[in-house]
Amino acid sequence: MCGIIGYVGRRPAVPVVVEGLHRLEYRGYDSAGVAFVRNNSFRVIRAKGKLGALEEKLASEQTTTATCAMGHTRWATHGVPAERNAHPHCSNDDSLAIVHNGIIENFQELKAELAAKGYVFYSETDTEVLVNLIAECRKDEPELLRAFAAALRRARGAYAVCLMERNAPDTFYAARMSAPLIFGLGTGENFAASDIPAFLPYTRKVIFLDDGDIVRATARDYDIFRLENLEPVAHEPQTVLWDMQAAQKNGYRHYMLKEIFEQPRVMTDVLAGRISEQGDSVLFPELDSLPVPVRLHIVACGTSWHSALWGRHLLEDWARIPVQVEIASEFRHRDNFLFERDEMALVISQSGETADTLAALRIARERGATVIGLCNIIGSSIAREATAVLYTQAGPEISVASTKAMCSQMLMLALLALYWQARRGNTDESRQIPRGQRISALVSLPAVLGDALSAMHEKARELSRKYAKADNFFYLGRGHCFPLALEGALKLKELSYIHAEGYAAGEMKHGPIALVDPAFPTFAIAPDDPLFPKTKSNIVEVQARQGKVIALTNEGTDLSADDIWTIPRLPSPLAGFVVLPALQLFSYEMADYLGKDVDQPRNLAKSVTVE
Ligand code: F6R
């Protein structure tokens, strides 16, 4: 949940590290800090709050001589957001400094052991324990690499760490276990960071470190060892295809807005190479050697879980595969869950690092299931541990609230439904719309959305001015629109802090409708599909209780509402591809109008690597 970066090279290191922290700030932003060596002692500068507070402090520091530095941006786990808990942390003898993302689960036990030896702790963090443990191990292992490994072997839990030594200010060490860490190879400079955009301005050559890897890096050289025996390992560097543009705002006010507007391009990228030349079949060579699941268990969190709920409709309807959708944090604790033969798990995660989803993947694999990972981040833990991985091609998603990732996941699920439908071969196609027609509808999506986005943005802005005073909101939808109602509500609450509930429209009368009054508006998702008449009845029920309604629908439907928002007509259930951006734009405009921090909402972090 935090971001870390280490740098060594020919440039002044502190500005490189601070710039990297800006690109990692989406991972956590309650405090930040940097460490470097000046005049043979550590300078550790830390500040509570966003990076601006750290930069203010750094403005009066002489930093230009340091060519090695490391930094951290924090999302609090152990210890409240405060300067004393911000990283880096130093060992008691000030010989070592460390930054850490993750949780050392046995830190209390290690802390007691160190305290008994006279160590003093100035923070409530597990990280300060780790750095002192390394210092303690060094009493028996003078070589820092060995002491570092010895300490890490005693730590249980998850970590990505960077370590520096006061007496060797031209070297940093780094290690990972169940937390992301990528090594970047520059020319005369090297990096380690929680995510690639942190060093993307300087290099695209990367090594995705494995759990249990330890790196020692200088400006011109690096070595990677295994934690268990310190045997050297060779990883082939890879070149990432993202460019800096993909990780910048490109003139948009916020990353979120840019990412919403990127969705037509994302859909084009998802479709690339997935449709046969004849346009009549869907290609997933990654899955050709695996059986078609007799039942699919999809596991995910948050927005990715909403994608799964939406995808279930297509997988069941088009491919006729029974689907169960699970929240990862619940699934991982269902001890008696069993997979039958040829049942399969599909885990969905933008980051590929969400702790609960990763745990679910591991449990499914332990229980003998084939697990497909649907991820955005190349080389992420889920991508590496799944039996087969499908990449969603959404590019870097910087805004903490997920937008384009959901669009890419939905499209991949639609393609998967068509792929498995063809492989099963025994579905009654006569009952169904021909596959070729569905493929053409998917191929047309980028153009449909591209043409519609600007007008949708205008409408979202207009509605936000009218509804920004609401303290509560209902989002209603039926069938494939119910998961979208959940997503609309999630986006509104996480961005604008307005209480919002997503409901299956037919459930309202079983209790929630008691809340409706003139100050409690409803956002109804009512495209012109077979369920429209039913949703319309639910809208009328809300109106009968003086509830105000925004209705997202198609031209020509017989509906009256306080605000009718018409969107392009798409065959059901593909309406989701235009409903989703409408919901995203509405939440975006509400939050921006209310002056909220759109890209970095309070209390959140992009990558949830804690349980
Ligand atoms: C909401 C949001 C989160 C994530 C969730 C899962 O806007 O971004 O709900 O969807 O934390 O993250 P991933 O997909 O990375 O596993």
Side-chain angles (χ1 to χ4, degrees):
M1 305 287 280
C2 307
I4 65 168
I5 177 167
Y7 171 82
V8 58
R10 54 202 156 79
R11 305 170 205 267
V14 175
V16 174
V17 162
V18 172
E19 186 193 0
L21 288 179
H22 272 289
R23 294 180 211 289
L24 293 174
E25 206 179 7
Y26 71 88
R27 300 180 64 86
Y29 32 85
D30 61 43
S31 54
V34 295
F36 55 98
V37 175
R38 194 176 70 206
N39 302 332
N40 300 323
S41 58
F42 270 121
R43 289 293 299 150
V44 175
I45 320 292
R46 306 182 295 188
K48 183 176 172 217
K50 292 196 158 196
L51 269 175
L54 176 68
E55 284 174 305
E56 261 174 45
K57 281 191 163 182
L58 281 168
S60 54
E61 277 287 324
Q62 213 285 78
T63 61
T64 47
T65 50
T67 52
C68 183
M70 57 191 190
H72 186 272
T73 177
R74 179 168 190 254
W75 187 86
T77 51
H78 288 109
V80 294
E83 191 176 323
R84 70 178 182 288
N85 288 327
H87 300 210
H89 291 282
C90 287
S91 55
N92 279 185
D93 62 2
D94 265 334
S95 66
L96 302 172
I98 199 166
V99 288
H100 167 216
N101 168 35
I103 292 181
I104 307 297
E105 285 163 5
N106 56 338
F107 86 102
Q108 291 290 15
E109 177 186 321
L110 296 169
K111 188 172 186 174
E113 186 185 313
L114 291 168
K117 289 185 173 150
Y119 284 85
V120 180
F121 297 94
Y122 302 94
S123 75
E124 290 118 60
T125 66
D126 48 346
T127 309
E128 196 186 6
V129 175
L130 184 60
V131 72
N132 281 302
L133 183 64
I134 302 167
E136 177 63 18
C137 289
R138 205 152 183 213
K139 291 180 181 162
D140 299 324
E141 298 276 11
E143 195 190 335
L144 182 54
L145 179 72
R146 291 186 176 281
F148 187 26
L152 291 178
R153 277 187 224 119
R154 296 205 53 204
R156 278 201 314 272
Y159 52 77
V161 285
C162 278
L163 177 73
M164 280 177 64
E165 180 183 15
R166 181 187 57 208
N167 294 337
D170 54 358
T171 305
F172 75 75
Y173 296 77
R176 79 159 263 171
M177 184 68 75
S178 303
L181 191 64
I182 297 117
F183 190 68
L185 294 82
T187 308
E189 57 189 349
N190 286 308
F191 306 78
S194 306
D195 199 359
I196 295 167
F199 52 70
L200 202 54
Y202 306 104
T203 183
R204 290 204 215 165
K205 219 163 141 195
V206 304
I207 290 175
F208 294 104
L209 296 171
D210 282 334
D211 279 349
D213 279 348
I214 297 193
V215 187
R216 182 176 53 205
T218 60
R220 305 203 165 275
D221 214 358
Y222 71 92
D223 298 287
I224 306 178
F225 306 91
R226 291 301 298 161
L227 172 63
E228 58 274 15
N229 51 15
L230 290 181
E231 287 287 315
V233 271
H235 289 300
E236 198 52 42
Q238 300 181 33
T239 304
V240 293
L241 299 175
W242 301 348
D243 56 16
M244 266 319 289
Q245 272 213 340
Q248 280 171 343
K249 284 191 203 153
N250 290 345
Y252 284 92
R253 220 168 118 66
H254 295 100
Y255 282 110
M256 182 179 176
L257 191 58
K258 176 196 166 221
E259 288 161 9
I260 293 171
F261 271 83
E262 273 176 345
Q263 290 176 112
R265 198 271 303 148
V266 167
M267 288 198 275
T268 305
D269 289 353
V270 171
L271 290 163
R274 294 282 176 205
I275 312 286
S276 66
E277 266 180 38
Q278 297 72 23
D280 58 353
S281 53
V282 171
L283 311 173
F284 276 107
E286 306 93 322
L287 304 182
D288 284 345
S289 61
L290 299 176
V292 178
V294 295
R295 180 182 296 274
L296 191 66
H297 300 268
I298 313 186
V299 189
C301 300
T303 292
S304 296
W305 177 63
H306 298 156
S307 298
L309 290 169
W310 180 86
R312 171 165 64 187
H313 290 271
L314 285 82
L315 287 157
E316 290 188 342
D317 191 28
W318 294 2
R320 304 270 153 196
I321 294 174
V323 177
Q324 220 159 309
V325 179
E326 311 266 351
I327 293 176
S329 54
E330 291 294 315
F331 174 85
R332 66 182 292 187
H333 298 297
R334 282 175 60 191
D335 294 338
N336 298 320
F337 190 93
L338 291 177
F339 286 90
E340 301 289 334
R341 197 181 141 82
D342 284 345
E343 290 192 349
M344 226 180 245
L346 171 69
V347 295
I348 306 182
S349 173
Q350 186 284 129
S351 61
E353 299 293 347
T354 300
D356 288 321
T357 314
L358 182 58
L361 175 153
R362 289 176 179 159
I363 290 166
R365 292 216 67 178
E366 270 163 29
R367 294 182 192 168
T370 297
V371 182
I372 301 170
L374 188 57
C375 296
N376 190 34
I377 302 296
I378 297 164
S380 58
S381 301
I382 289 175
R384 287 192 288 177
E385 293 190 31
T387 320
V389 58
L390 305 174
Y391 285 114
T392 51
Q393 314 288 356
E397 192 179 62
I398 309 285
S399 166
V400 167
S402 189
T403 54
K404 62 177 179 170
M406 180 165 179
C407 167
S408 66
Q409 293 163 352
M410 285 166 54
L411 189 49
M412 286 294 274
L413 290 167
L415 289 167
L416 261 180
L418 291 175
Y419 167 78
W420 275 325
Q421 180 199 26
R423 279 203 45 205
R424 284 193 67 194
N426 58 355
T427 49
D428 179 4
E429 283 240 9
S430 62
R431 281 187 61 251
Q432 301 228 7
I433 296 169
R435 199 163 35 251
Q437 210 166 308
R438 285 193 171 134
I439 292 176
S440 310
L442 293 182
V443 170
S444 71
L445 289 174
V448 173
L449 184 57
D451 290 346
L453 269 173
S454 293
M456 285 165 79
H457 189 196
E458 259 321 298
K459 185 72 182 176
R461 184 174 301 142
E462 174 199 321
L463 291 175
S464 67
R465 275 39 177 182
K466 186 163 167 189
Y467 288 91
K469 286 207 176 75
D471 292 325
N472 300 286
F473 246 98
F474 269 127
Y475 279 73
L476 301 185
R478 275 180 182 259
H480 63 101
C481 291
F482 169 45
L484 299 166
L486 293 175
E487 176 62 9
L490 175 62
K491 282 287 153 303
L492 189 68
K493 61 189 142 197
E494 71 179 322
L495 293 169
S496 57
Y497 320 143
I498 294 172
H499 167 239
E501 296 208 38
Y503 255 92
E507 243 332 81
M508 280 289 279
K509 56 186 172 294
H510 297 290
I513 201 163
L515 291 169
V516 169
D517 69 20
F520 198 135
T522 291
F523 196 122
I525 305 169
D528 191 5
D529 65 13
L531 292 174
F532 173 78
K534 311 249 175 242
T535 312
K536 182 182 165 184
S537 303
N538 303 129
I539 292 173
V540 172
E541 285 155 15
V542 168
Q543 289 166 328
R545 274 101 192 148
Q546 283 80 50
K548 296 217 169 9
V549 174
I550 302 175
L552 195 62
T553 188
N554 299 117
E555 192 78 50
T557 50
D558 172 23
L559 194 63
S560 77
D562 298 274
D563 287 283
I564 297 273
W565 183 350
T566 52
I567 46 172
R569 186 177 290 271
L570 283 167
S572 169
L574 302 186
F577 289 99
V578 281
V579 169
L580 179 68
L583 299 171
Q584 295 165 344
L585 285 164
F586 179 67
S587 303
Y588 169 81
E589 282 298 331
M590 289 281 274
D592 191 33
Y593 184 61
L594 292 169
K596 307 297 183 208
D597 190 340
V598 174
D599 282 332
Q600 294 174 342
R602 70 185 181 203
N603 302 342
L604 299 183
K606 181 85 184 150
S607 181
V608 185
T609 52
V610 292
E611 187 170 347

